[in-house]
Amino acid sequence: MGEVRLQGIGVSRGVGIGTAVVLKEEELKIEHILVEDEEKERKRFEAAVSTLKQKNQELSEQLSESVGEKDGQIILAHNAVLEDPEIIEPILKMIQEFRVNAEAAVEEVFNKAIQTMSSLEDDRMKERVSDLEDVKQGLLRLLLNIGEMDFSKINQNTILVTKELSPHVSAMLDGDKIAGIITQRGGPTSHAAIISKAMEIPAVVGVEDAVELIPEGEFVVMDGENGTVILNPEEKTRKSFERRKKKVQAEKESLKEYIGLNSISKDGVLFEVQANAGSLQDTKRAMEQDAQGIGLYRTEFLFMNRDTIPSEEEQFTAYKEAVVCMEGRPLVIRTLDAGGDKPVEALGLKEESNPFLGYRAIRYCIQNPEVFTVQIRAILRASAFGPIKILIPFITCLEEFEETKKLIDEEMIRLIMQDIPFDARIPVGIMMETPSAVMMADILAKYADFFSIGTNDLTQYTMAVDRGNSKVSDLYSVYYPSVIRAMKRIIEEGDKNKIPVAMCGEAASDPYFIPVLMGMGLREFSVIPSEVLKVRGLIRKWTIPEAEALCQEVMKQKRVEKVKELLEKAKKI
Ligand code: PEP
Ligand code: MG
């Protein structure tokens, strides 16, 4: 057999070379039995639920430790399924009222829910399907007494091939042994993509029929950037992949040179490259990568997957630990940005028909000062331990910012009365991520201490395109002239009013776009920790006049394709 080429979507950069280990899901055989003792059956089911919850908790802690807290949270989302009355109650009903055995009841109820979810168009719902599949498998394995897959025997240089990388499997992976991951399902925002990226393992998802087409033990080369997978490669192909792998590794190694260096343009203008974080683990990574601060600390993760909101003490400890970890480098803490694509069950929010346009982020906080002021106090108290700035998300009008400032001032007064130390000059900035804020940038800049551009949402709201919907993902690009104009206006108004402007959305780490941002006058970038050195390296390749010339050319373009062409031509990657 000659070499065979398969194509998928590259979601985690890097070249993988190794031997395929194919995870085939065993068909679990479920018998339908009429049970005699329904009480006993109910207890058996409840025991399986509680064991699985316990296991999820442990796996989540393991994953938080090895990959990151955000990733650990993915597994905890499974416990929400195990507490969902719409799932659990019908199962109990089948067992208790119809004396169906637990396995059959689990299978039927889960399959029904999976069928309903799969028929929906929404990508986030599709992600939920994989959660449901994973929980179903977990429960059935426990009820049938079938053990977990044994990963300890996996050899070095394994290319893992699976229908879908469940969070359970990913928690058991040994990042040193896995040379690549290939999955049949999933897109750029799937668990497989997020986890492989965080573990820095090359990954290709969406390879049709991968599990059937790739034989166990086959020699495979794969490219996690362009999505190519080649089975049984010819000598020439193998050599070229080996060369590329070495090149990628050398690049990664060479980035270490930038540790301890300034983020400075070729002609000597100073920049700041900071990191985005959502946990203490991330702040530690940011320090390892020599980030010049945390430009965005997302506080949502502290509030997610739990029944109650975190107390002032718990929040204070988290913020204090983060700022202490940064050893004097600034920490920008964003206040609770709940809602939209960030569910926070503990807030008990009702479902809305337009969640991205609804009761979320600062809108929720202003209307619920009993929740918001706890967070404000915790942040203010932490500011006694290092340089902290407060960032307010999803601002659309001046009134919201004024109301927020009023609440902050009131908490400051309370702290003074109680003799509790804090930084009274703590800067308060605005997350520029709605078209309304962009239109108001000239006015908002007179009230805010700094701006931070959230390109993820700014693109979504400017282009009126749901950031999670793959059907319209072509429109979700920062290269559209409208989005580019929006960014430029924010930076210009910031400059005019002499307040710093940073960018913390994904566009800040786009190697093609960085020179354009430099040319617009952006001087602060905040990116995921693993990209910090790459961004610093790129900044050092451009002079300001070069970047300005490119920016001017880009600003003249009317169409997204032309912008892409220009950036492709100009790149210095
Ligand atoms: C953004 O919207 O660009 C951003 C950085 O915030 P998030 O992705 O958390 O909405
Ligand atoms: Mg946002």
Side-chain angles (χ1 to χ4, degrees), residues 23-39:
L23 293 185
K24 286 219 166 85
E25 279 163 29
E26 303 149 65
E27 274 297 318
L28 300 176
K29 287 219 166 47
I30 310 296
E31 282 184 273
H32 289 240
I33 306 166
L34 210 55
V35 291
E36 283 179 7
D37 185 347
E38 64 268 23
E39 230 0 67

Side-chain angles (χ1 to χ4, degrees), residues 298 334 337 342 360 393 431 433 454 456-458 467:
R298 291 180 166 102
R334 182 175 71 185
D337 188 24
K342 305 182 188 91
R360 56 167 301 208
M431 186 93 184
E433 54 183 346
N456 308 344
D457 277 319
L458 184 60
R467 65 196 253 190

